[in-house]
Amino acid sequence: DPANGIARLVHVNQGLAAMVGRSAADLSGRPLLSLLGSDAHPATLASVDARLLAGEQVEVSLVLRHRSGTTVAAHTTHVQIPSVRTDSQFRLILFRDLSRRSSEQLLADQASVVESLARGRDLGALCHQIASHVETMLDSKGRCWIGVTDGRDRLEAVVTAGHDLDLVGGVLRLIMGAGDPTSARCVLVENLPTDLGVPLAEVGIYALWAFPALDGRRDQRGALVVAHQTEDIPTDDEIRFLDHLSQVIAAGIERAALEATMAHRALHDPLTGLPNRALIVDRLQQALARLDREPSSLSVLLVDIDRFKSLNDSWGQEVGDRVLLEVAGRLLASVRLGDTVGRISSDQFLMICIANAGFDASVVARRVIRSMRDPVTLRGGDELRVSVSVGVVAVDDANQSPTAVIGSAESALASAVENGRGRYALFDAGLRKRSVARHELEQALHSAINGGQLVLHYQPVCEVRTGRMIGAEALVRWDRPGHGLLGPADFIDVAEDSGLIVPLGAWVIEEVASNLSTWPKATDGRWPVVTVNLSARQLADESLVPMVTRTLRRHGLPPARMGFEVTESMKIDDFEAAIDTLAALSGLGCRIAIDDFGIGHATLDYLRRFSMADVIKIDRSFVAGLGRSREDTAIVSASMALATSLKLQVVAEGVENAGQLAELHALGCHYAQGYALSAPVPLDVTLGLWQAGVLVDPPGPPPPLSRPDRN
Ligand code: C2E
Ligand code: CA
Ligand code: CA
């Protein structure tokens, strides 16, 4: 209408007239807007106009007003008609009744929900999309409800379209609970029990179309229900469409269930069902955040099953699993509801306890240890005793990372294990620092052994009577970059604890053999004897003797040139193995010396066990008191007597001055080693001393032994 810019209907066909319940004549000349429902937005039409003027063909869904007051959904296509008249614009509008959609259109809708299913939209969104397709198809003559079960028996209504949940729930339950679930049904509301039928009729629902959602095993997992406002029954097209949609829902339900199990699996240990490390770390993170906000206490306990590996190896994995399950159950029983117990590695569990400020987590640790007192009963009736070690951390700083907290628990656990297992230890920060430093040292030492950073110094051993050098003791040094030359005190303990002493010891033996192969005879024609220190671990190592044999042979050395020192104070776990090793070395022809003689608690016992020994080395603490302390002098002289009767040679260690040397001479001691003769020195210096032969003047007459003792 060029006069006021309003679009009016010039011609209306029968089809459009029928859609809105009027005659074609009645509609002619009316504004286009009069066709539309009250909720038609003026902006929608304005944008249609604008796009038409821009030369586009426009497609838009509009809701038309039926004469009866109901609404009709229509799909409209607008085309501008080229015109010779300039005062008017004409347009052709095609109205397609969406409630009479073709099967083709229905299939297109279905394709779009299948696509959302494939793209993994969540089940709720998928159901909403399906419900809205169904309602468009129903053209406001019905509502779509979709219900799903959670796989057990709980029903969840996913889409209820504004209806009372109880009512929808009642309908879904009725439909899912009754009759043959495998096929679609249409129920007239008047045939329903009154407690459902009456309230349904009250909200204008007269028929229910029910479509079961069946999973792959043909079990009903949900239902799609059309609540219809008339007593209509579905057409064949509608049945096909709704049936397909209900299968899409079933697939969505299955996918959601699978995702839920996968999510559970990704975060839980399959054996015990406990949270796994990933979930535990997450829980710990949350607990730390909570600690920051509220005054509470957070304790973390790391529980390790003692000697689980050997249990698993000797009893088999089935028994191992049984033990893990049992332990998991006992741990769960040791904490309060709300605490977390998870499995963080094969035989370690982590417990997170949140309590009031001031809570003492060692209570839980004791409870855990006590819970292991009863043996685990195996399938065949055997009983197995299991114990655990526990590292406890009371978290005081909420700003730590979960990994740092677990690290603290690990170092506390390590000290519980060191102290003999089957007990708990509390974390202390100093301990952690030391263990980190130790770990770093261990790493560095590892590369030092392979990286040529080890050095040998030799400390000459001389005959007391003549002052002549007869050989040396090999003493290892570590030329650590940035730290200078480190003595054994700085790294031998770490090497022993970590097992690195085995490769380190092998390096020493190889190096000594290699040095000895170029070490000349002395001017008096004697060959040097060099001794090597052995640690307990090496004595337990079966490959030591073959390795020594090979090394000596490779360098063409008679075994008598190499000696081995074992200290009395070393902790030997397996005496039989140690004795076998020493006997074998002795059998090769190597000399065996008992080092640090006299300071151990079982000196005589060692002498008896190490009957293959050739030499005792009297500890320098006794030598230090020679001539000053009557006891020390007495011990040295008693050791001498003992050695003589056992036909052992004696080396006195730590001889620092001529006085001590003279005392030793008087006591009849054969050999001496110490700063008075030479400190440990590099190979070239050692060889110089060897060439020189005599390192000190032979001691003069000994000072009188009757001197008063004043210490
Ligand atoms: P040790 O076997 O008792 O070695 C003698 C230690 O006493 C050496 O210390 C030496 O420097 C020191 N010493 C020598 N003369 C005197 C003296 O007159 N006065 C005093 N106060 N001390 C003296 P070092 O080299 O620091 O070695 C310490 C320990 O490290 C050795 O004690 C030995 O048990 C161990 N060790 C050294 N090298 C090796 C090795 O290659 N393997 C193993 N397993 N242990 C080694
Ligand atoms: Ca030694
Ligand atoms: Ca010694």
Side-chain angles (χ1 to χ4, degrees), residues 456 459 473-477 487-489 492 496 501 504-505 508 532-535 538 565 567 595-596 617 619-620 653-656 673-676 678-680:
L456 277 190
Q459 184 170 36
E473 174 177 1
L475 294 161
V476 69
R477 308 285 179 256
I492 285 290
E496 278 177 358
I501 194 71
L504 184 150
V508 171
V532 168
N533 293 283
L534 288 182
S535 81
Q538 289 173 282
E565 302 188 4
T567 107
D595 202 357
D596 305 336
K617 297 187 76 168
D619 190 71
R620 65 170 174 269
E653 287 189 307
V655 181
E656 294 184 352
Q673 177 183 353
Y675 298 161
S678 167

Side-chain angles (χ1 to χ4, degrees), residues 125 222 227 321 504 512 593 624 663:
D321 286 355
L504 184 150
V512 166
E663 293 280 356

Side-chain angles (χ1 to χ4, degrees), residues 79-94:
V79 188
Q80 190 77 21
I81 298 174
S83 169
V84 285
R85 288 171 61 177
T86 52
D87 56 343
S88 298
Q89 305 275 340
F90 291 89
R91 140 186 354 174
L92 178 72
I93 309 176
L94 216 80

Side-chain angles (χ1 to χ4, degrees), residues 1 23 55 59 122 301 390 404 407 500 529 568 659:
D1 188 337
S23 72
E59 302 209 23
D122 75 64
L301 289 82
V390 187
L500 284 172
V529 178
E568 228 193 68

Side-chain angles (χ1 to χ4, degrees), residues 30-44:
R30 285 177 179 264
L32 173 61
L33 270 174
S34 69
L35 278 181
L36 304 184
S38 52
D39 52 352
H41 208 282
T44 313

